[in-house]
Amino acid sequence: MTALPAISLSGHEQARVHEPCVLLKLGEIVLKGKNRQQFEKLLQNNIRLAAADLGIGLRLWQRDGVIVLSPTLAADSPADGEAAQTAADLIADRMLDVMGVVRVCRAVRVAKQAQAAIDTAAELAGGRPGSFAVRARRRDKRFPVTSAQLAIAIGSRIQRQYGNPVDLRRPDFTVHVEVDQSEVFVYIDGLAGQGGLPVGMSGRGLVLMSGGIDSPVAAYRMMRRGLYCSFLHFSGMPLTGPESVYKAYGLVRQLDRFQRGSRLYVIAFGRAQQRLATSGSGRLQIVAQRRLMLKTAQAMARRARATALVTGDSLGQVASQTLTNIMALDDAVRLPILRPLIGMDKTEIIAEARRISTLELSELPDQDCCSLLMPRQVETRARVADLRKIEARLDADELAEELAASAQEYRPG
Ligand code: ATP
Ligand code: MG
């Protein structure tokens, strides 16, 4: 842990230190004991990546359960000027998408003096409507003013100066003051971050990405559990147009804000679907297609260095997602298939898709490859032995290897 450099200025100058910064509150990562340092490093890396294209220099300090970020500016611009404020706002905005960050707080860093804290708190609260509360914390217990004394001083100052009423139970806004080892942070409210674990902490996965609503949400859920995701899309080409590919591309681009450098692999699947149909798949066509997709994904996983596959299956949502069919899908590959949406209702999935801004794209019309060659009735109790027979007729494992080799790679970020 590196401490911020102590602010060792004369009393007069010290009172003027007033630096915009961003406080990131970390959740589970704090609990991870021995591996903690490695996690912190990964998170710091992800933070830098998320802000890299802003063109703003970034200073980063790791504290107990908190990361402090502040923009570094050209020598001639004032540390608390408009440019620094804007830079800190931009950084804070990016941090809202970094997995592992529980809260993002746009703060002001001031000298370690009660008066500086009180003045800054009043300044930040100025002009805000409604009731308020003050929460003060000392990380440094040697600070001569107790948390309670500080909270009272700030509360009465704001009341006196602006007339806002105090409401400790349901305040409209909360003023936070955190006394640290060598300075004080002051901020109001803060915003909820994504939570979860830093991307990359749980290894790598390959997401089977349709153009639909479910698979982008599934990917998001796994990224939030620390899985770095690559994406694989099957289009119905050449039997369909390229619309579904555009959608998959757009969706991966949207998801790339949660992890940088995402790769999308695209495979034209139409001919393979035709071959399954002519091998007499009948009512098993959909499940047979999904098995072939999974086998192909398994072959691709090597290239993507992935050790798990991810799908947007939700139990019982459509005929191909009955428990029997899901078991028949698991039988097709050796890799584990992660299904983070398995117990979610469609309404819950849609709400999450809206929140992560993938819904609108998913709802655009396209010709999904699954709707090609759709049998009149879909088998809900597929038998593995029957599926294997169909696959033997067209040597499905070799076909999967060929399909994998034909994949086109894109970098939608
Ligand atoms: P989604 O909304 O994700 O398309 P869905 O409700 O339409 O899901 P299915 O069409 O049965 O359900 O697909 C289930 C899962 O299979 C998808 O979530 C996805 O992981 C995978 N999948 C389906 N079609 C494709 C495709 N064309 N390319 C890649 N993966 C696919
Ligand atoms: Mg679909």
Side-chain angles (χ1 to χ4, degrees):
M1 229 179 355
T2 38
L4 282 174
I7 304 174
S8 53
L9 304 168
S10 72
H12 174 66
E13 279 171 319
Q14 199 174 50
R16 287 180 22 233
V17 174
H18 189 282
E19 193 180 87
C21 64
V22 181
L23 286 192
L24 306 178
K25 307 278 169 141
L26 315 181
E28 284 178 63
I29 189 172
V30 178
L31 307 172
K32 293 292 180 178
K34 268 195 219 150
N35 296 327
R36 176 164 152 187
Q37 275 197 342
Q38 185 199 329
F39 303 147
E40 285 177 348
K41 231 187 183 150
L42 189 58
L43 182 59
Q44 290 172 11
N45 234 344
N46 292 351
I47 285 169
R48 290 195 183 280
L49 274 177
D53 64 327
L54 290 175
I56 300 167
L58 196 63
R59 273 185 300 173
L60 187 155
W61 292 275
Q62 180 79 52
R63 297 290 177 80
D64 258 351
V66 180
I67 287 176
V68 186
L69 302 175
S70 66
T72 56
L73 296 168
D76 56 350
S77 44
D80 62 345
E82 213 172 296
Q85 304 263 4
T86 313
D89 287 344
L90 290 172
I91 293 167
D93 189 55
R94 288 300 172 84
M95 296 308 123
L96 293 172
D97 291 332
V98 176
M99 303 298 192
V101 174
V102 169
R103 254 189 124 63
V104 180
C105 314
R106 251 296 267 116
V108 179
R109 174 188 176 220
V110 298
K112 196 173 170 182
Q113 293 174 338
Q115 197 54 50
I118 296 166
D119 291 344
T120 306
E123 185 188 312
L124 292 182
R128 277 180 193 255
S131 60
F132 75 103
V134 182
R135 304 256 178 270
R137 253 186 80 181
R138 283 184 307 172
R139 277 202 200 89
D140 176 10
K141 299 293 180 206
R142 295 164 312 174
F143 192 63
V145 185
T146 68
S147 303
Q149 288 169 331
L150 198 55
I152 290 167
I154 291 170
S156 43
R157 165 78 175 273
I158 293 172
Q159 254 182 324
R160 204 167 2 98
Q161 196 168 343
Y162 306 108
N164 300 64
V166 172
D167 182 346
L168 296 182
R169 291 181 57 198
R170 301 193 58 193
D172 292 312
F173 65 91
T174 303
V175 180
H176 297 260
V177 180
E178 296 182 7
V179 178
D180 217 312
Q181 302 308 325
S182 55
E183 68 267 288
V184 178
F185 297 100
V186 186
Y187 62 93
I188 292 182
D189 291 339
L191 294 170
Q194 299 297 330
L197 302 173
V199 172
M201 208 175 99
S202 308
R204 285 171 169 265
L206 181 61
V207 180
L208 281 88
M209 183 81 166
S210 69
I213 294 171
D214 303 331
S215 32
V217 176
Y220 167 79
R221 288 257 161 157
M222 293 321 301
M223 289 193 245
R224 206 173 63 183
R225 292 312 298 168
L227 198 70
Y228 186 90
C229 292
S230 298
F231 300 86
L232 173 58
H233 173 71
F234 296 93
S235 80
M237 287 170 79
L239 309 184
T240 64
E243 292 78 10
S244 74
V245 180
Y246 302 150
K247 282 177 71 177
Y249 188 96
L251 288 166
V252 174
R253 199 186 161 99
Q254 213 25 281
L255 292 169
D256 190 66
R257 66 188 203 277
F258 301 113
Q259 66 162 34
R260 300 297 163 136
S262 313
R263 282 161 210 252
L264 168 66
Y265 303 100
V266 175
I267 293 176
F269 199 55
R271 294 262 182 260
Q273 291 178 266
Q274 249 172 351
R275 278 181 65 186
L276 281 172
T278 54
S279 302
S281 63
R283 281 164 60 118
L284 288 173
Q285 175 75 13
I286 296 292
V287 182
Q289 276 173 198
R290 294 285 311 282
R291 277 175 63 105
L292 185 55
M293 284 185 188
L294 290 166
K295 284 174 184 288
T296 309
Q298 179 165 264
M300 291 294 311
R302 268 175 270 136
R303 187 159 147 196
R305 289 186 289 140
T307 52
L309 305 178
V310 178
T311 73
D313 291 315
S314 158
L315 189 61
Q317 196 192 86
V318 291
S320 59
Q321 297 171 10
T322 61
L323 197 51
T324 315
N325 285 353
I326 285 176
M327 278 159 56
L329 296 177
D330 281 342
D331 170 77
V333 287
R334 288 181 316 277
L335 288 180
I337 303 173
L338 307 179
R339 299 179 169 95
L341 311 187
I342 197 72
M344 283 176 81
D345 284 0
K346 192 76 188 186
T347 49
E348 294 168 329
I349 299 171
I350 289 174
E352 183 138 298
R354 186 174 291 121
R355 189 176 69 75
I356 64 172
S357 311
T358 54
L359 184 63
E360 219 179 308
L361 259 172
S362 293
E363 283 181 333
L364 291 175
D366 68 336
Q367 197 182 4
D368 176 40
C369 75
C370 294
S371 56
L372 265 184
L373 307 168
M374 182 83 135
R376 252 187 304 131
Q377 240 192 334
V378 176
E379 180 59 72
T380 54
R381 300 174 67 94
R383 288 178 35 185
V384 169
D386 296 340
L387 288 158
R388 288 189 177 167
K389 252 183 247 162
I390 299 163
E391 286 165 0
R393 279 178 221 143
L394 44 62
D395 200 346
D397 291 316
E398 200 183 297
L399 179 54
E401 291 290 342
E402 280 168 28
L403 286 166
S406 76
Q408 303 259 19
E409 183 179 327
Y410 300 90
R411 297 283 199 110

